[in-house]
Amino acid sequence: MNTAAGGPGDPPAPRPRRKKVVLADSRAPVTVLRTVVELEEQTSWAEEVVRSFIRTQFRAAVKFAVGTLLLFGALPLTFYVFPELSDVEFAGVSLPWLLLGVAPFPVLFIIGYWYNVVAESNERDFVDMVEK
Amino acid sequence: MELNAWAVVAIGVVGLATFSLGFRSSRLASTTQDFLVARRTVRSRRNAAAISGEYLSAASFLGVAGLVLKDGADALWYPIGFTAGYLTLMLFVAAPLRRSGAYTLPDFCEARLGSAGLRRLATATVVFIGILYLVPQFQGAGLTVHQILPSVPSWSGAVLVAVLVIVNVFGGGMRAVTLVQAFQYWLKLFAIAAPTFIMCVLFFGQGGVNGLGATGLSEPLPPRFTRDAVVTVETDVVLQVKDGVWLSASGTVDNAPAAGRVYWGPGDHVVDEGTELRFSEGSETPVVHPAALDNASWLRPVNGTGDLFTTYSLIIGLFLGTMGLPHVLVRFYTNPDGKAARRTTLHVLLLLGLFYVFPILLGALSRVYAPELLVAGRTDAAVLALPMKIAPNALGEILGAVTAAGAFAAFLSTSSGLVVSVAGVLSTDILKGRVRDFRFGTALAGGVPLALALVLRPSDISLSIGMTFALAASTFSPVLLLGIWWRKITWVGAAAGMVVGGTMVLTSIVITTVSGYTGGWAPSFLQQPALATVPIAFLVVMVTSKATQGRIPPDTNRIRLRMHAPDRLGFIRDRDIARFGTAEERTRLANGRHRR
């Protein structure tokens, strides 16, 4: 039983923080701590690692942004160049209205979901690399 | 339309529910620290509902349908942009901003670039954007009240609502509590989705467009009245007629007094305030000046190069403007960490997409049923007026009550959120941060926009909102994007970009407003200047920063590490902890890493 937790009747005494005491654990955690400290101390290695990670994330974000912008940016120009698209109908609704009024919302969600997966896997790679 | 008792009851219920929810949750979290710490445990799904609840303003609830009614396919870019703004936010800003630990935009500017002067400039900009965003909210409130109680003039509605918001914020009952805002989202979704479903069923039940004798939405003809209509013009308008129409008018038309039956030939007709126009069933509908005249051009997107420019400008302004809105970013702080911030944004994309389908449908329906709104230039009332047009009986009254309640929830949540964030910035950054200062800030943040809302002409809600987005996109978005991703930005560059971008947008706002009163001579690109101002602002920030490289803050690398390092490594520090709370709590919270 853990007595430090206290019963419901006890006064709410400030609990001491639990500390983990480990003797001579010479495996991975030491290097993890070392790399994290190194990151924080901004050694030249750490600076380079962080910079390249930021660049990876930036590239991913820019790719998605440019893709989205091209996708949506092409629409007004297409409608301008091919006005006859308005005469095309699906189930009684004209094509531009489907492309502008309905389609963008699921498309935006899918792009967002996809980016989320990419960004999180980039982060996982970075953590794995640091904690190796 | 006489007094709609249902609507008054529905609005009362919304107000009461909001108030009691807010009161209950604010009792649970009473101190600053409790409040802030409790907020960091908010789940991304509820948080997303809260963000959407605060974001869906009068512009979304009333304005989108109104613009669709007036401009047709080109107006569809507004809901797209309102939603896609969150995608940009997610790609570039959400996670790093959350990890930076800054609570507001001025706070971020100071944390990243280490300049108190830049913070003050950012504060002024936040206050300005907040006020500009509040004006259409109050105007929308006036419109809603006027629609329900036609005997009451619009200004009294705006005053009533502004006072209500200020009193609420004063008492602390409408604190930006997550639960209240989340509730508001679902309320608004219901209030627009349910009436839309029922009205669509009625529409097809009545035999669609042909059964009504209305103009088909793809025919090259102007909309027709489906029954006799009386329209009272409330502000001076220029009406365009395509083929010619017989009507009876009493008042001033084309600068001459008119009484009795007149014939309007094709062309423009100037109608003065207070004129009453009577149209008979089946006659052509004159349309206020810049709107799409016939249904075929209404249906077709992009008519001419001017439209092309405006559309691209709108896309840029809305895609980049969302991240610079003061009430949006504060909400992101309630996420536990950067990853959760990203997931929250993803949910927001879903919730907004779900919502915006309905105002679009309502806008299209009102082109069939409520063409007289095009005559009076009161297209923003479409969502409120449509139910009584489709079902002029008790059902219509109930549906109208539901949409009115939703509209009420829309501007109540958005303007409360805005007033709170502007008053917070005013009281901590300009005044001394006491409770008295916060109340003074609240009075200021509510009073100034109210005065503006009364003085300025109620232009279309979404258009003035579009201007606010352009302002945010030309001031904060370069600073945020470059501050997060570019190592070499300096505070001098950031300040220069904000000043230049802000001045350009402000100039175009002033020119458009003045020209609106003096005959509308200003070119249309000034109404949506983002396509020019945003790139210039970015350029100014970059060039000025390059010229002042000596001023890169010395701890830049550390701040960048904190913003971008994955949450598991635990580099997040929340800036408020260093400022608020007792000494004991500060050390306790600051020592523990945000390891999850």
Side-chain angles (χ1 to χ4, degrees):
Chain A
M1 277 298 287
N2 189 352
T3 49
D10 291 350
R15 253 195 291 167
R17 280 176 77 91
R18 186 182 291 180
K19 282 179 184 146
K20 189 179 177 188
V21 181
V22 180
L23 295 176
D25 188 353
S26 61
R27 279 165 304 154
V30 178
T31 45
V32 171
L33 203 62
R34 195 181 297 146
T35 43
V36 170
V37 166
E38 221 169 320
L39 283 179
E40 210 155 9
E41 282 179 350
Q42 304 284 312
T43 60
S44 60
W45 170 82
E47 212 168 293
E48 192 43 49
V49 165
V50 170
R51 198 180 286 184
S52 81
F53 171 65
I54 295 176
R55 208 173 295 142
T56 316
Q57 287 286 60
F58 183 62
R59 285 221 186 102
V62 165
K63 258 182 223 161
F64 279 89
V66 168
T68 314
L69 211 62
L70 285 182
L71 191 66
F72 283 89
L75 285 176
L77 202 63
T78 316
F79 295 141
Y80 179 65
V81 178
F82 305 104
E84 63 271 17
L85 277 178
S86 307
D87 304 331
V88 182
E89 283 193 0
F90 283 102
V93 184
S94 99
L95 184 65
W97 281 70
L98 286 178
L99 288 181
L100 294 177
V102 183
F105 304 110
V107 167
L108 285 172
F109 180 77
I110 290 166
I111 295 173
Y113 185 83
W114 188 10
Y115 168 73
N116 218 356
V117 171
V118 170
E120 280 181 15
S121 94
N122 282 347
E123 287 187 352
R124 225 169 303 126
D125 290 349
F126 181 72
V127 171
D128 287 348
M129 200 255 300
V130 166
E131 292 190 342
K132 196 165 50 189
Chain B
M1 191 166 70
E2 68 277 14
L3 175 113
N4 185 341
W6 292 99
V8 177
V9 172
I11 287 179
V13 169
V14 167
L16 212 68
T18 308
F19 190 79
S20 66
L21 257 180
F23 181 70
R24 275 205 197 170
S25 359
S26 63
R27 239 189 356 192
L28 289 176
S30 49
T31 68
T32 321
Q33 305 87 353
D34 277 352
F35 197 56
L36 290 170
V37 177
R39 286 173 120 205
R40 286 199 203 95
T41 59
V42 177
R43 295 266 167 144
S44 60
R45 206 166 295 176
R46 176 177 283 180
N47 209 357
I51 291 173
S52 317
E54 197 163 6
Y55 185 65
L56 291 173
S57 61
S60 302
F61 202 91
L62 304 175
V64 167
L67 281 175
V68 169
L69 161 64
K70 197 165 69 126
D71 295 336
D74 283 333
L76 297 178
W77 282 104
Y78 279 93
I80 296 175
F82 288 154
T83 314
Y86 277 95
L87 184 70
T88 339
L89 191 83
M90 175 176 167
L91 293 180
F92 293 107
V93 180
L97 188 82
R98 173 61 195 94
R99 290 184 190 130
S100 79
Y103 183 54
T104 58
L105 275 165
D107 204 27
F108 171 81
C109 292
E110 199 190 13
R112 171 68 180 85
L113 297 166
S115 156
L118 183 66
R119 184 188 181 117
R120 277 193 291 277
L121 180 65
T123 304
T125 318
V126 163
V127 170
F128 194 82
I129 292 178
I131 287 174
L132 208 61
Y133 206 114
L134 273 165
V135 172
Q137 308 300 326
F138 288 153
Q139 286 178 339
L143 183 87
T144 311
V145 171
H146 182 67
Q147 186 70 27
I148 299 161
L149 304 164
S151 52
V152 179
S154 303
W155 62 264
S156 64
V159 171
L160 177 79
V161 160
V163 168
L164 211 66
V165 169
I166 293 174
V167 167
N168 258 342
V169 176
F170 250 49
M174 256 307 288
R175 240 186 258 183
V177 175
T178 312
L179 188 64
V180 178
Q181 302 284 11
F183 164 74
Q184 300 270 27
Y185 169 78
W186 294 110
L187 182 75
K188 278 180 258 190
L189 184 66
F190 168 77
I192 203 152
T196 309
F197 274 124
I198 296 177
M199 284 190 269
C200 281
V201 169
L202 288 175
F203 172 65
F204 288 111
Q206 289 167 0
V209 173
N210 299 330
L212 288 164
T215 310
L217 288 178
S218 56
E219 291 175 48
L221 295 168
R224 282 196 298 265
F225 289 102
T226 52
R227 55 175 74 94
D228 294 353
V230 182
V231 181
T232 309
V233 175
E234 281 164 20
T235 46
D236 303 358
V237 285
V238 179
L239 297 175
Q240 355 169 42
V241 175
K242 188 173 162 85
D243 296 326
V245 57
W246 279 98
L247 70 154
S248 37
S250 63
T252 317
V253 178
D254 290 334
N255 301 320
R261 244 175 130 58
V262 285
Y263 176 76
W264 284 2
D268 287 355
H269 299 273
V270 184
V271 183
D272 282 14
E273 184 184 333
T275 307
E276 197 181 84
L277 308 170
R278 287 171 181 276
F279 298 91
S280 55
E281 184 182 331
S283 61
E284 170 193 344
T285 309
V287 173
V288 276
H289 184 56
L293 183 53
D294 60 75
N295 279 355
S297 68
W298 174 82
L299 192 78
R300 194 182 327 120
V302 192
N303 300 297
T305 41
D307 271 4
L308 202 62
F309 180 90
T310 321
T311 306
Y312 278 119
S313 204
L314 190 67
I315 292 175
I316 293 290
L318 296 181
F319 277 36
L320 291 174
T322 307
M323 67 179 72
L325 298 178
H327 61 305
V328 169
L329 283 189
V330 174
R331 285 241 132 252
F332 273 85
Y333 192 69
T334 58
N335 291 301
D337 55 30
K339 196 168 132 190
R342 248 185 332 238
R343 294 208 164 153
T344 300
T345 327
L346 191 62
H347 279 292
V348 172
L349 285 178
L350 184 70
L351 294 178
L352 290 183
L354 204 61
F355 180 88
Y356 279 125
V357 174
F358 300 106
I360 294 175
L361 264 173
L362 286 183
L365 273 183
S366 47
R367 184 87 184 179
V368 175
Y369 279 97
E372 58 265 37
L373 295 175
L374 287 168
V375 182
R378 289 173 56 233
T379 45
D380 282 330
V383 170
L384 304 168
L386 187 60
M388 279 304 278
K389 300 287 170 199
I390 291 191
N393 48 35
L395 178 66
E397 278 185 18
I398 294 175
L399 292 182
V402 173
T403 55
F408 200 77
F411 69 77
L412 201 67
S413 59
T414 305
S415 47
S416 298
L418 277 165
V419 167
V420 167
S421 61
V422 171
V425 164
L426 274 177
S427 68
T428 53
D429 279 343
I430 294 177
L431 305 167
K432 284 179 187 146
R434 293 163 300 185
V435 175
R436 208 173 62 194
D437 293 330
F438 182 77
R439 298 207 162 150
F440 181 69
T442 307
L444 216 60
V448 173
L450 176 64
L452 284 174
L454 297 181
V455 171
L456 294 177
R457 191 156 53 182
S459 54
D460 299 299
I461 292 171
S462 275
L463 286 182
S464 41
I465 289 285
M467 208 60 139
T468 318
F469 274 78
L471 184 62
S474 320
T475 51
F476 280 126
S477 91
V479 175
L480 269 174
L481 287 178
L482 293 173
I484 287 171
W485 296 103
W486 194 42
R487 202 170 53 84
K488 294 176 180 167
I489 186 175
T490 65
W491 72 264
V492 189
M498 276 169 69
V499 168
V500 170
T503 315
M504 283 190 300
V505 179
L506 278 187
T507 316
S508 63
I509 290 179
V510 169
I511 293 177
T512 342
T513 314
V514 170
S515 109
Y517 282 99
T518 55
W521 42 268
S524 67
F525 70 83
L526 284 179
Q527 273 192 11
Q528 191 42 259
L531 192 59
T533 57
V534 172
I536 293 177
F538 268 93
L539 213 67
V540 169
V541 174
M542 293 178 85
V543 169
T544 321
S545 295
K546 279 276 187 194
T548 53
Q549 287 294 285
R551 299 191 193 245
I552 293 180
D555 54 349
T556 299
N557 282 337
R558 183 152 301 171
I559 294 169
R560 276 163 60 84
L561 170 67
R562 189 183 303 164
M563 284 195 297
H564 294 283
D567 305 304
R568 272 196 38 190
L569 296 177
F571 286 110
I572 292 190
R573 294 281 182 285
D574 287 318
R575 278 171 61 77
D576 62 317
I577 290 168
R579 287 192 291 147
F580 301 123
T582 61
E584 189 263 337
E585 272 170 328
R586 271 206 294 270
T587 48
R588 185 163 59 85
L589 286 168
N591 283 341
R593 281 190 167 157
H594 271 271
R595 211 175 248 281
R596 284 171 62 74

